[in-house]
Structures are given as C-alpha cells and as structure tokens.
C-alpha cells in the first residue's frame, strides 16, 4: 500500500528539493508562468513541449522510475500546494495521487490527462498505459493544451501553434513507423516483455506482446505464467525478448536462458530515459521502441 511519510520539519529540510523547484525558476520565469506539477516523466515532457516558456514544471516520479510503486514524499505535497495545475494520467495508474493531493490542501486546477481516451478494458480492469497509443496521445495533447489556454487565455495563439507543431511531428513519426512495419507479416510481429504495458501499441500496430506479468509489476509472475510464456516462445518462434527501463531484467534473462530467444534490447514503457538517453522525450521513446521492435522482427529465424 502506498502511504505518505510522516511530515516533519527534518523531513521537509531533507527532501524539500522538489518543493523548491518553482522558487528556483522564479528568476527566469515570467510572473504569469503556470506552475505545473506532473505525476510522471511522460506528462512532464508533454507539458513542457506544449507550454513552452509559459510553464514551470515540477515532476514527481523521476525518469527511469516506476509510478506503480512510487512512495510520495513530503516535498511532493509542498510542490503541489504551490501549483496552479496538477496533471496526472488517471485510469488508476497513480494509485497514490488522490490522497497526496488531498493531504497537500491543494484547491487549484486538476487535469486527468487521459480523459476521453479509447481505453482498453478487461472486465473491471482498465489498462492505464494509454499513452502508448498515437491516437490516445492526441487526446492527452488536446486536454493539456485546452487546460493551458483556460488558465492563460492571453497566450491562446502560442499554445495553439505549439500544439499544431507537436501534432505535425507526431503524425510524421507515426506514418514513418507504419511504413517501416508494413513489410513485416503480422504473424511475425510477436515479442515478449516483462510486464503488460504495451496493449495499446499492440492494438494500433498489430504487434502481439506476451508478458509473464500483469498490468502492474507489483504482482510477481507465477511459475505457471512463466511456463506458459516459454511454451509460446517455442511454439511461435519468438525471436527476441525486451527488458524495460523500470524493472529488473532477471525474469526475462531466465526465460531467455530456457529458450532460443535473445534479449533484443530495452523498451521504455512507464517512464522516459535520462534526457540524453534514447527515450529522452515522448517522441523519441516511441521512435526507439517501435524501431527496436522492427529490428527484432527482422532477425533471422533460429
């Protein structure tokens, strides 16, 4: 269970860095800048790209970190209390965010970035990884831009222009990746990842993802789950397995050792890489992930 640490003066002084982000940016930021707190790195990137110089962003779950298991800090509540806008994914991705906002005493604008997406549902369970869809990320972009315009209508033209520029880049990337993938038969588009975070990519690009874990990596894969994946790899001649940046590769290394599949590289699911890494932005993440998969599909058969 996620829980807030007891708030004390000592803890505030030790972990108050995030809460001071807005203060440190005051010199360079215009007085009308929107102070935004984002829950994780993908939203941080989107808000910065769409808001430009009119936003100052403090992000909670850092790059290469897992939002599923995040433990909020007192400094997070401090940052939220100072914000004009809090942006989070929703779809039960950040199970800790509602309580954190409540405990901070925050009364300003909240945005559920995924509001209106075409969500994948399995009974009562919803796949929260909606940003792994080009169609859905356009909804995120629309929601963020609309909210920024609501808060600073005097910058409507600039926000609208930034939105269109970003959408143009997104459309170009999607079209290029679809063209690259078109030459690969759909029955060859099979890959194994460590947790089930790519259902939206599977739906849009006709790629089949096998995963021994469920939608949350908090749940350990059973021996039967692992055995089932191993059987599928052998039966369908899966060429590559991919580790993710937010969790340990040990499980997939074990599976690879029992099959002829190879570790094909690293995918970025729930968090961006470091700024200078292969997935430093959302667009770079999608480029890296899908290009890596295409390369794996083109590997020679065992």
């Amino acid at each position: 269970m996620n829980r807030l640490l007891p708030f004390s003066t000592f803890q505030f002084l030790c972990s108050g860095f995030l809460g001071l982000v807005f203060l440190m940016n005051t010199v360079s930021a215009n007085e009308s800048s929107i102070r935004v707190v984002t829950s994780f790195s993908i939203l941080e990137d989107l808000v910065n790209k769409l808001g430009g110089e009119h936003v100052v962003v403090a992000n909670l779950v850092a790059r290469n970190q897992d939002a599923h298991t995040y433990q909020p800090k007192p400094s997070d509540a401090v940052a939220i209390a100072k914000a004009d806008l809090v942006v989070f994914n929703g779809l039960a991705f950040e199970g800790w965010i509602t309580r954190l906002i409540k405990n901070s005493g925050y009364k300003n604008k909240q945005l559920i970035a995924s509001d209106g997406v075409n969500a994948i549902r399995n009974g009562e369970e919803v796949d929260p990884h909606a940003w792994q869809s080009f169609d859905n990320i356009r909804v995120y972009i629309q929601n963020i831009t609309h909210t920024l315009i609501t808060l600073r209508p005097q910058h409507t033209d600039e926000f609208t222009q930034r939105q269109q520029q970003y959408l143009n880049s997104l459309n170009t990337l999607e079209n290029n990746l679809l063209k690259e993938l078109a030459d690969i038969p759909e029955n060859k588009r099979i890959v194994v990842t460590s947790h089930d975070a790519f259902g939206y990519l599977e739906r849009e690009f006709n790629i089949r993802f096998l995963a021994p874990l469920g939608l949350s990596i908090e749940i350990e894969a059973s021996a039967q789950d692992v055995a089932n994946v191993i059987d599928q790899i052998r039966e369908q001649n899966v060429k590559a397995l991919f580790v993710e940046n937010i969790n340990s590769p040990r499980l997939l290394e074990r599976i690879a050792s029992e099959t002829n599949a190879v570790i094909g590289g690293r995918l970025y699911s729930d968090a961006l890489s470091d700024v200078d890494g292969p997935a430093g932005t959302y667009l770079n993440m999608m480029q890296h992930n899908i290009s890596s998969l295409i390369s794996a599909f083109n590997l020679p058969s065992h």
Side-chain angles (χ1 to χ4, degrees):
M1 178 181 295
N2 292 313
R3 57 187 176 82
L4 292 177
L5 299 172
F7 192 93
S8 68
T9 301
F10 174 76
Q11 287 171 324
F12 169 72
L13 292 174
C14 290
S15 62
F17 174 77
L18 182 57
L20 295 176
V21 168
F22 295 139
L23 297 179
M24 291 189 295
N25 281 281
T26 300
V27 175
S28 60
N30 186 284
E31 288 185 3
S32 67
S33 293
I34 306 169
R35 295 170 297 182
V36 186
V37 168
T38 53
S39 60
F40 72 121
S41 55
I42 290 170
L43 293 181
E44 176 190 22
D45 177 61
L46 291 178
V47 171
N48 273 317
K49 294 295 192 300
L50 297 169
E53 65 181 9
H54 301 298
V55 296
V56 177
V57 181
N59 183 59
L60 302 183
V61 184
R63 292 165 179 265
N64 288 313
Q65 299 298 313
D66 176 28
H68 289 290
T69 58
Y70 183 68
Q71 295 288 338
K73 305 181 295 294
S75 57
D76 298 340
V78 173
I80 287 175
K82 295 177 179 294
D84 302 308
L85 172 64
V86 175
V87 183
F88 56 99
N89 185 72
L91 302 178
F93 179 63
E94 313 96 331
W96 40 269
I97 192 73
T98 301
R99 186 181 176 201
L100 176 61
I101 292 172
K102 180 180 179 181
N103 287 0
S104 73
Y106 179 75
K107 302 296 183 184
N108 292 332
K109 183 74 174 176
Q110 299 179 35
L111 172 62
I112 301 173
S114 66
D115 189 28
V117 300
N118 181 11
I120 294 175
R121 301 179 184 275
N122 183 13
E124 295 184 357
E125 188 175 35
V126 179
D127 185 341
H129 307 90
W131 61 85
Q132 292 287 348
S133 154
F134 280 94
D135 286 343
N136 282 344
I137 206 66
R138 293 183 178 94
V139 177
Y140 283 61
I141 292 166
Q142 174 62 35
N143 289 341
I144 292 169
T145 301
H146 174 76
T147 302
L148 295 178
I149 289 172
T150 299
L151 291 172
R152 295 294 185 274
Q154 65 270 33
H155 301 307
T156 295
D157 289 346
E158 185 173 344
F159 289 143
T160 301
Q161 183 179 25
R162 296 185 74 90
Q163 177 190 33
Q164 191 56 56
Q165 289 173 342
Y166 195 88
L167 287 172
N168 290 343
S169 297
L170 186 77
N171 295 339
T172 298
L173 175 62
E174 181 183 26
N175 290 334
N176 289 342
L177 292 172
L178 285 170
K179 288 178 183 177
E180 289 182 41
L181 192 63
D183 293 333
I184 300 172
E186 290 187 14
N187 65 349
K188 302 295 184 183
R189 303 176 191 176
I190 307 173
V191 66
V192 175
T193 57
S194 50
H195 97 286
D196 193 7
F198 297 97
Y200 293 93
L201 203 59
E202 180 175 65
R203 183 174 69 183
E204 289 189 5
F205 280 75
N206 293 315
I207 298 171
R208 186 177 178 194
F209 287 87
L210 307 176
L213 299 184
L215 296 178
S216 172
I217 63 172
E218 293 178 283
I219 302 172
E220 186 175 353
S222 69
Q224 187 61 53
D225 291 334
V226 175
N228 289 342
V229 170
I230 289 173
D231 288 343
Q232 288 177 297
I233 290 172
R234 290 170 174 162
E235 291 169 4
Q236 302 182 49
N237 192 30
V238 175
K239 298 175 182 178
L241 304 98
F242 283 85
V243 298
E244 294 171 54
N245 65 320
I246 61 167
N247 53 20
S248 169
R250 288 194 301 271
L251 177 60
L252 289 191
E253 288 171 350
R254 172 188 161 195
I255 293 173
S257 70
E258 298 188 32
T259 65
N260 290 322
V262 299
I263 301 293
R266 183 179 300 274
L267 298 181
Y268 294 82
S269 56
D270 297 10
L272 298 179
S273 69
D274 294 332
V275 174
D276 56 354
T281 67
Y282 174 80
L283 293 178
N284 286 347
M285 179 189 76
M286 298 299 281
Q287 170 79 67
H288 169 83
N289 284 350
I290 299 175
S291 293
S292 297
L293 292 171
I294 291 171
S295 296
F297 299 148
N298 283 319
L299 289 172
S301 300
H302 304 312

